Amino acid sequence: MRKWFFMLAVIVILVLVGFRSVQHQIGGSGTKHVKTETEQEAAKQGGASAKPEDESPSKEESLYLDVSSNQVHLGNLLLVNKDHPVSGDAVKKDVVNLFDHKDLMEGYSLLDAHIMLSEDLARHFMTMVDAARKDGVDHFLISSGYRDFDKQEELYKEKGSEYALPAGASEHNLGLSMDIGSSLKEMDKAPEGKWLKENAWKYGFILRYPEDKISITGIQYEPWHFRYVGLPHSAVMYEKNMALEEYLDYLKQQGKITETVEGKTYEIAYYPSADMEKIDNPASANYEISGDNIDGVIVTTEKEQAAE
Ligand SMILES: [Zn+2]
């Protein structure tokens, strides 16, 4: 009888020990384990306790920028010429007839009532013209702005390949270029032309076809043709005396550069189109993305200013 009781006691002990060990295994696997705040924080920061199943899908996605497949052909830095024509989507959506928007034409005149331009571009132009006026230069005239493909084709047929580009091959088809004249004299002799040559970069514009870049652009010297690319790009091009073609090549070679303009520091990074899915999400909310219209995209990020 005592022997039987002893056996029963041993069985009870074995069962209890076995049960505890099963409990321990469940706890150890972490499946039902509720994390403490500290552990959750460590998991968020990618600490050792973070397991793949703990990562939310949204966190995974936000590591990279969501870039559309046709981004190569969209943006302010597109190279447009016979080899790299404007894609329909790239045309600026805010193109308006300037004559119908008197609020957009302060400080300059128009050659005719049909001139169209991106509204955003017109505002940058007005800011620039206002600065020139303060320097005593105030006889600006816009002779051409945005041209649609039909209008470009018409011009090409009328003027021939010596003086005009076929439809889609002109920057005017994009909405980011304008021909600026002076009501005083020819642009390369007028104070307006001289002022723009020295100062347009401060407002995001570049003299697109300079006299010393004919072999690179393939276009004759056009002292009137200005293109908007935006800051900080216009500043780098001015500083390094680069045409758009040279600048895009330079970015491709360098991969990443930094530029400081008026106290703001920018990081400019080039990515080939094959790497577009792996573009790091910029740390700063202030960034811009543009294609080069060839085979890559450029991400420009304004860096957060360090506290002083
Ligand atoms: Zn032009």
Side-chain angles (χ1 to χ4, degrees):
M1 188 67 179
R2 277 186 67 183
K3 195 176 176 186
W4 181 83
F5 182 79
F6 179 71
M7 288 281 285
L8 187 70
V10 169
I11 290 166
V12 167
I13 288 164
L14 281 173
V15 166
L16 281 175
V17 169
F19 182 69
R20 276 190 57 137
S21 130
V22 169
Q23 256 194 329
H24 182 73
Q25 278 170 16
I26 291 171
S29 76
T31 48
K32 298 275 180 195
H33 181 61
V34 177
K35 283 190 164 79
T36 62
E37 267 186 342
T38 326
E39 283 173 305
Q40 282 175 346
E41 205 47 49
K44 270 189 213 159
Q45 290 167 4
S49 69
K51 292 198 170 66
E53 66 263 33
D54 290 333
E55 298 265 14
S56 64
S58 61
K59 184 178 186 289
E60 194 75 44
E61 277 165 20
S62 68
L63 285 172
Y64 303 115
L65 264 187
D66 190 14
V67 181
S68 76
S69 58
N70 61 339
Q71 184 64 62
V72 170
H73 307 290
L74 303 174
N76 290 341
L77 290 172
L78 303 181
L79 175 70
V80 172
N81 55 32
K82 279 179 194 163
D83 299 327
H84 304 99
V86 173
S87 87
D89 287 351
V91 176
K92 289 287 143 187
K93 306 284 182 284
D94 61 342
V95 167
V96 293
N97 179 312
L98 287 178
F99 195 73
D100 295 340
H101 288 75
K102 294 286 184 280
D103 59 315
L104 292 177
M105 49 171 303
E106 284 162 25
Y108 64 91
S109 49
L110 296 174
L111 186 69
D112 62 53
H114 307 291
I115 290 166
M116 316 269 287
L117 207 60
S118 144
E119 188 176 333
D120 185 43
L121 182 62
R123 293 197 187 282
H124 287 296
F125 180 66
M126 276 204 307
T127 307
M128 180 162 73
V129 157
D130 191 47
R133 189 177 46 80
K134 286 172 188 151
D135 287 344
V137 180
D138 59 356
H139 288 81
F140 291 98
L141 170 95
I142 300 181
S143 57
S144 187
Y146 166 73
R147 296 197 283 261
D148 64 21
F149 285 30
D150 289 346
K151 180 108 193 241
Q152 187 68 37
E153 189 59 31
E154 208 177 284
L155 201 71
Y156 183 63
K157 280 180 181 159
E158 188 188 313
K159 298 204 167 181
S161 59
E162 277 285 293
Y163 297 97
L165 287 159
S170 164
E171 286 192 339
H172 286 280
N173 305 148
L174 196 57
L176 285 176
S177 281
M178 54 205 298
D179 293 340
I180 308 169
S182 163
S183 53
L184 296 175
K185 49 180 118 171
E186 277 180 34
M187 234 357 210
D188 58 336
K189 293 184 187 89
E192 285 68 28
K194 278 182 196 153
W195 191 92
L196 285 180
K197 229 176 177 176
E198 282 162 29
N199 299 288
W201 66 272
K202 295 173 192 165
Y203 307 90
F205 289 87
I206 54 164
L207 176 67
R208 181 66 183 90
Y209 304 115
E211 205 166 11
D212 59 342
K213 301 289 179 186
I214 297 170
S215 62
I216 289 150
T217 63
I219 307 279
Q220 55 160 332
Y221 175 41
E222 293 194 353
W224 56 83
H225 183 110
F226 285 82
R227 156 79 185 264
Y228 184 78
V229 288
L231 282 167
H233 311 289
S234 53
V236 184
M237 281 183 245
Y238 182 81
E239 210 175 272
K240 297 190 179 297
N241 185 32
M242 286 177 172
L244 182 59
E245 288 82 354
E246 294 172 297
Y247 179 58
L248 294 173
D249 274 352
Y250 172 71
L251 291 182
K252 194 173 174 175
Q253 274 167 21
Q254 299 290 314
K256 199 175 272 182
I257 64 165
T258 53
E259 173 75 7
T260 302
V261 189
E262 285 169 352
K264 288 181 187 169
T265 301
Y266 302 85
E267 185 183 271
I268 308 165
Y270 171 90
Y271 297 86
S273 57
D275 293 347
M276 262 177 18
E277 279 160 26
K278 293 277 169 142
I279 298 178
D280 291 340
N281 209 345
S284 155
N286 228 349
Y287 73 89
E288 242 180 48
I289 183 163
S290 171
D292 61 3
N293 211 24
I294 311 166
D295 55 8
V297 294
I298 295 109
V299 180
T300 308
T301 313
E302 189 184 322
K303 288 191 161 183
E304 308 284 353
Q305 297 299 304
E308 282 175 37

